[in-house]
Every structure is written in C-alpha cells, then in structure tokens.
Amino acid sequence: MLKFDFTNALGENLLDGIKYEDIKGITGRLHAFLENFRQNPPGFVKVFKDSSHLEQILKVADKCKKFENFVLVGIGGSALGNQAVFGALFHPMWNSLPKDKRNGFPRFFVMDNVDPEHIASILDIVDPAESVFNIVSKSGSTSETMANYLVVRGILEARGLDPREHLVFTTDPNEGVLRKISIDENIPALEVPSNVGGRFSVLTAVGLLSGASTGVDVKKMLDGAQEEVDRFKNEDDTFKNPVLLNAAIHYLYSRSGKSISVMMPYSNALYTLADWYRQLWAESLGKEKSLTGETVNAGQTPIKSLGTIDQHSQVQLYMEGPNDKVITFLRVESFRRNLKIPVVHQDRKELSYLCNNEMKDLINYEQEATSLALLEHGRPNLTISFDSIDETEIGRFFGYYELLVTVMGFLYNINTFDQPGVELGKQNTYALMNRKGYEAQKQHIEDVKKNLKIFKI
C-alpha cells in the first residue's frame, strides 16, 4: 500500500507553512466533493471494475504476444502511461535481452514525437513483418499520431504485409477516422471509453494493451487503482484521507505563491511516472477560466527531478532559490534488486563509511537527508512511499493521482477534464499543413505574421 508522509509540508513543523487550521477552513468544500463523488464518480473510475473491457484487451493481447516487436504509435496521454508502466515494471535493457530472457514476450517501442530522426531510428531496428503496431488516438485526428500511422501503413503496404495482421487501433467506440477504417477494412480495434479523456486513460485499453502484450498482470493494476478509490471514498476525515489532504496542501500552497509542483523519485524505475504526472497535472489544472467564466489562470507548473542525480543540480535551486515550490518525493522501501558495497579502502575515512552498507539504504538515506534539509530551509515537501515496485503499487499510484487532480480541479473551480489551451496550437498546425476546412485559420495566421516586428539574427 502507498504510504504518505506530510510531516515536512505542514506549518506546525515548517516556517511559514500552511497549518491544520488552514486546512480545516476548506474541509467543507472537500467533503462536498467527496459526497458528490460517491453519488457520481467520474468516468475514469468506472473502468477499474469493467471486466468486459478487460476481457477484450486480454483477447487482443494474446494475438500481439506472438510478435517480436510491439510498437505503440501515440502521443501525450496515448503514450505516456504506456511508457510509465514499461519504465517502472520492466528490465531497463528489456529490448536488448534475448527472447528467452523476456519469457518470449515482445520488445516494446514507442513512436510518439514526429522527429524524423527518432522515428527513422525505430524503423531501422524493427522489422515490420515481425511487428504489431498499436495506433492509439481517441479522436483519430491527432496530427502526430496519424502522420506516424501513415508512415507505418505505407511501409506495410510496400512490403506486401496485410494491415489486418499487423495493426491494432485503440480509438473512440463510434467516431473518428480510425474507427471508420477499422470497420471498412476489418482491422482489430479496441475502445477508448467515451467518458475517459486521454490523460486519464492509462488504465483503459490505451495503457493496458501494451502491458498485457508484454507480460504485465494488468488486472493487478486495475485492482490497485480500485483500492485507492475505495480508500478515498470511505474516509471522511480529511487528515486521514491522503487524497483530500494532499489536494488541500497543494491548493493552499498554490494560493500563497507556490506555483511549482516538483515530483522527485528516488528510483530510476519511477522516473517515467513523473513524466506521466507532468501531463496529468499540467493539462488538468492549467486553466485560464473558471467554471463561472472568471479569469483565474489556475494551476501549478509540474517539474520532474531524479534522486540522487538532481541533488547535484536542481536541489541547489530548490534549497536556496525562490520559495515557490512544493516537492513530492517518491521512495521505494523494498527494491527488486540490491547491491552491497564491498569493504575496500577501509583505511580511508573518506570511503570507509560506505563500506559494508547496501545501496538501497544509501539511496533512501539520501532522500531522507534531502527532505530534512529542505524542511530546515522552509521548503514544503512530502513523501509517497512504495512498499515495492509492482503492478498493484503502480496501479495505486495511477488511481491516486487521477483522484488527486480531480479534487484539485474542484477546489480551483475549473474544468479538470478539458484542454482548451491545446486546441489553438492544433488548429494552427492543421492550417499550416493546408488541411481542408482550415483556410480561414490559415489566413488569420498570415495576418498575424504580417503585423509582427521580426527580430532574427
């Protein structure tokens, strides 16, 4: 079970920190959210217990397992969750391991950006005849994903390979071009539930197919997420409910000028979770308008760091720079592998203190030391501890943070589930690429550019 330590985030222990009384001042709002949640949970919660949804994923995964390569084609919420699962649960050199060391499961690749060098490098080492390509786009209109799909489709056709054997779509149940192509050409397709947005979709077919195809027990991930939901909805006391308490802490600190939220795992395996968190936090909470139309410019800027590496870079800023951050440490109590530091140079006092210790203890002492140093500098920080890194704990983490940003959005009085700030960039891209229907936007871009004072060197 995930464990939460808020000691270093509260004003009873921290100079100028928010205090119990500050949190008590918003408990009425928190309880109002909790009661509404019990009556009307958001869509992402409903999939955790949807056995029919899981059965479809596992059925398709059985066919994907026969391939040497599983290639995910997606971006943002259609890729980050997959990368987080893979980074947390798989051997760091998985794709370099021989097949028997992978228990026969496929290698895993992600085609996300449209950087031509990045995409070409994947295609250099992936034989399409031995690969299944999972095209993930709920709308079917994501420029980057669809461009990469067309590249893949062109290669399959040039090689004379049947797209029905090498493609799986994950898209809207009824709408969009991918759904139409799947129907017209009998290409296998899984559903993104219509009531689940992209950044909340890691525990749907979007994030579960790649895991199930490469050996992850995805049922345990769903069970872990459901455990966090049950823990959340069954606890009325804010100070015993880790979602409500964390939401209150981040909300109140953001209102007092702490506009940055840092996630710092002390585990390389959890670093990709911080990537997933950054999208969830930024896209869910960064909103210009409130639900009632006022300009609020809500949200904190999410940043990721990696312990211990960033103790030697970013922590200097966190410790002595602007006091505008709330820092969340991720800590692992039981690592899957460990190393003992041998007794060498025991006569050298600069080195002897390390001898005969274990690396797992060193990394956790470094996390504790950093959190205490930040406390002494008046910098609020909290720690989330994983008992171990496994499917259940990772599922708990996903469920926990999806709940957390939902409560945060309620406190900010914003729409947690839209992303209007992303849409203008998409429309401009369509216009610049001469997509039909965007001629007026293309003319608008030209008019804007004419009025710019150009400064280029």
Side-chain angles (χ1 to χ4, degrees), residues 1 17 28 33 49 79 119 122 172 182 203 221 227 231 241 260 269 276 299 316 327 340 362 369 384 405 408 435 447:
M1 179 176 290
F33 174 88
K49 287 185 174 180
I119 300 304
I122 294 174
D172 187 89
S182 76
L203 295 176
M221 290 177 59
E227 286 174 16
R231 183 183 187 182
N241 188 317
I260 296 173
W276 174 83
Q316 173 61 37
I327 299 165
K340 193 165 188 176
L362 175 59
I384 302 176
V405 296
M408 288 282 289
R435 180 175 174 178
D447 292 341

Side-chain angles (χ1 to χ4, degrees), residues 121-156:
S121 69
I122 294 174
L123 297 173
D124 284 341
I125 59 174
V126 167
D127 182 351
E130 298 180 354
S131 305
V132 61
F133 297 87
N134 180 206
I135 317 299
V136 184
S137 173
K138 184 177 183 181
S139 66
S141 62
T142 310
S143 299
E144 300 88 350
T145 302
M146 301 317 293
N148 285 330
Y149 161 65
L150 294 174
V151 169
V152 167
R153 184 66 185 257
I155 291 172
L156 293 176

